[in-house]
Amino acid sequence: MGKRPFCPRSQGFYAAGGQGPSFGIGTFTANEICDAIQCIRLNSDFFDRVLQGNVLCPSATDAECPNDLALESCAATIRNLLTVPGAAAALASECPGDPFPSDNAILRQYLVNLLNVCISTTTDNGCVGGVLVEYVVDLTEDQATALGFGTDECVTVEEILDLAELALNNCGNVTFSTETLAEVLGDMAQDAGVTIIMPIFCP
């Protein structure tokens, strides 16, 4: 089996248009796309609601995947959510009223991190994903404090993703800094060697 690949990717990888790799059939197999969508919906009530807007998307519990055309339509919805206008439209629907600080970046970078958790495969463009929610996030002391953690606390990917879910579900009405959260999510959603996720576990 060998070692599990650790290949987080950035927003640019999943959202790329034109000739580049992207989240779609062509880069990934139909099964990988289907599994990833179901995994996102299982892990996030927020994105589960947003994806209800596209009836072609498989639900979290569908036993069978829809056809390739339906999957590509759903993948296109996800690629759109990775763009500023696409994220803004979802937020306008889910959080009508005044935007909260960094709301658009949180939605996009949270989704990229979910893709990195939900995908673990090798494509023509190298390995993709392979992030475990138990992996450690290397926060600065300032970041830890702004997010409500102790400065010497071991913080996991799951804990940061939980904050993103909380921020979006509560439309920013939270006790931690949403600006810092957006920064941390963005620093996590980077290629291996750049990401602040470390493929180790808390002691």
Side-chain angles (χ1 to χ4, degrees), residues 17 19 45 49 59 67 74 80 83 103 169:
Q19 299 308 303
D45 289 342
R49 289 195 306 275
S59 78
N67 63 40
C74 190
N80 183 52
T83 68
D103 57 352
N169 277 330

Side-chain angles (χ1 to χ4, degrees), residues 179-196:
E179 293 103 325
T180 301
L181 177 61
E183 173 190 304
V184 167
L185 288 165
D187 289 344
M188 288 164 64
Q190 302 293 335
D191 292 349
V194 181
T195 179
I196 60 169

Side-chain angles (χ1 to χ4, degrees), residues 78-99:
I78 287 178
R79 292 196 301 273
N80 183 52
L81 288 168
L82 295 172
T83 68
V84 172
L91 285 162
S93 161
E94 289 290 323
C95 291
D98 291 335

Side-chain angles (χ1 to χ4, degrees), residues 104-122:
N104 195 292
I106 287 172
L107 187 153
R108 288 180 285 112
Q109 299 297 351
Y110 177 30
L111 184 51
V112 178
N113 278 288
L114 283 171
L115 285 164
N116 283 333
V117 166
C118 286
I119 296 172
S120 181
T121 190
T122 301

